[in-house]
Amino acid sequence: QVQLVESGGGLVQAGGSLRLSCAVSGRTFSNYAMAWFRQAPGKEGEFVAASSWNSANTLYADSVKGRFTIARVDAKHTMYLQMNRLNVENTAVYYCAGGPGRYTSQRGVRYSEWGQGTQVTVSS
């Protein structure tokens, strides 16, 4: 059974940084596309960042470009999201998602497996 487990969320002041982790178990990490999504209170879920199976291609939402970095360490079966210069609009539950294949996508339907989410709260 494939499991994705996020960690690293928490409370941070505006302008601060956090690094989220997503540990994958139950399947090979190769040929596995991954992404981060988030959902703020009262809002629909939205795409944040995505990485292809080999890290060769990445995508970012315009709102996080230049501040967030997605990375994956295959040896650790873990994906990361480094978030810098956080602002209150970044407050949300962050979810990692994965799907078998060699693609990079900002569409949630392309990912078949999801974690339970980790809360990120940015205070002003």
Side-chain angles (χ1 to χ4, degrees):
Q1 183 179 356
V2 180
Q3 283 192 316
L4 280 66
V5 179
E6 302 96 336
S7 61
L11 175 64
V12 63
Q13 285 191 328
S17 298
L18 280 175
R19 188 179 76 160
L20 305 183
S21 300
C22 174
V24 180
S25 62
R27 66 152 290 132
T28 177
F29 206 57
S30 61
N31 294 329
Y32 194 62
M34 298 196 72
W36 290 97
F37 292 81
R38 66 187 179 190
Q39 186 166 22
K43 296 185 178 180
E44 293 187 355
E46 65 175 350
F47 167 76
V48 177
S51 171
S52 63
W53 67 284
N54 60 355
S55 303
N57 296 305
T58 56
L59 289 173
Y60 293 93
D62 287 344
S63 62
V64 306
K65 280 181 182 177
R67 298 188 299 121
F68 290 14
T69 303
I70 188 172
R72 51 193 293 166
V73 178
D74 288 2
K76 295 186 176 181
H77 283 210
T78 301
M79 176 179 67
Y80 302 95
L81 184 68
Q82 177 67 44
M83 305 186 295
N84 298 328
R85 304 200 312 274
L86 286 160
N87 56 57
V88 294
E89 287 74 30
N90 300 138
T91 294
V93 178
Y94 284 71
Y95 299 90
C96 68
R102 300 186 174 190
Y103 58 86
T104 314
S105 177
Q106 59 185 13
R107 298 176 61 211
V109 295
R110 293 298 306 273
Y111 301 93
S112 53
E113 286 126 11
W114 294 75
Q116 294 299 305
T118 185
Q119 176 71 48
V120 171
T121 303
V122 184
S123 63
S124 59

